[in-house]
Amino acid sequence: MKWTQYRIKTISDAEDIIISTLYDIGLEGAQIEDKVPLTAMEKEQMFVDIMPDGPADDGIAYLSFFVEEEDASPEEHEKNVKEMLEKIRAVLEDLRMFMDIGEGSVTVSETEDKDWINNWKEFFHQ
């Protein structure tokens, strides 16, 4: 199964509002990449021995949304990606009028869902 990834470069303060707004156009399940440190309560809820110190928070965040590719021709797929990209950019421009969203750039890539249950064995050596 193939997925199209839309990755938005923004700022940490705008994560929640962007995710909420993009949910309205059909993008669900955001993956957030930022350098915001975990709170003490979040650390208590995790099942780890030692929490590594991460890099300092620079305020930049990346939001990724994955859309499953349908069984469409390459032309239809290209059209769908272009339409979704236009919707995302329109939403970001609307938000930019009300708040700082940072750079607001969008990149598109494709990824393929693999058999991850067995695929790790290819890279594990005794």
Side-chain angles (χ1 to χ4, degrees):
M1 177 181 328
K2 292 187 179 183
W3 299 81
T4 302
Q5 177 187 18
Y6 299 91
R7 190 167 192 239
I8 302 167
K9 184 176 182 181
T10 185
I11 58 174
S12 301
D13 293 338
E15 291 172 355
D16 293 334
I17 191 71
I18 291 174
I19 291 169
S20 176
T21 307
L22 291 176
Y23 182 84
D24 294 339
I25 65 167
L27 290 178
E28 299 176 357
Q31 173 185 328
I32 301 172
E33 300 171 54
D34 61 19
K35 296 175 186 159
V36 176
L38 298 172
T39 65
M41 185 171 21
E42 289 172 333
K43 289 179 182 178
E44 288 174 7
Q45 295 175 353
M46 301 180 89
F47 297 102
V48 294
D49 293 330
I50 301 171
M51 290 296 299
D53 291 331
D57 183 18
D58 57 2
I60 296 176
Y62 293 93
L63 306 177
S64 296
F65 299 88
F66 296 88
V67 177
E68 185 178 353
E69 288 186 21
E70 301 170 2
D71 293 331
S73 67
E75 295 82 19
E76 288 178 12
H77 170 68
E78 184 76 25
K79 179 183 170 207
N80 293 340
V81 168
K82 188 176 179 179
E83 287 175 0
M84 183 59 73
L85 196 54
E86 288 173 5
K87 287 180 185 178
I88 293 170
R89 288 186 176 142
V91 164
L92 293 176
E93 286 306 312
D94 288 346
L95 285 174
R96 196 180 299 274
M97 292 189 302
F98 301 105
M99 66 181 296
D100 181 20
I101 64 165
E103 187 176 311
S105 62
V106 183
T107 57
V108 179
S109 62
E110 291 184 11
T111 184
E112 190 168 347
D113 192 12
K114 296 182 180 180
D115 181 13
W116 295 111
I117 293 172
N118 294 313
N119 196 38
W120 66 271
K121 295 175 187 176
E122 181 180 327
F123 302 100
F124 181 78
H125 305 289
Q126 293 182 356

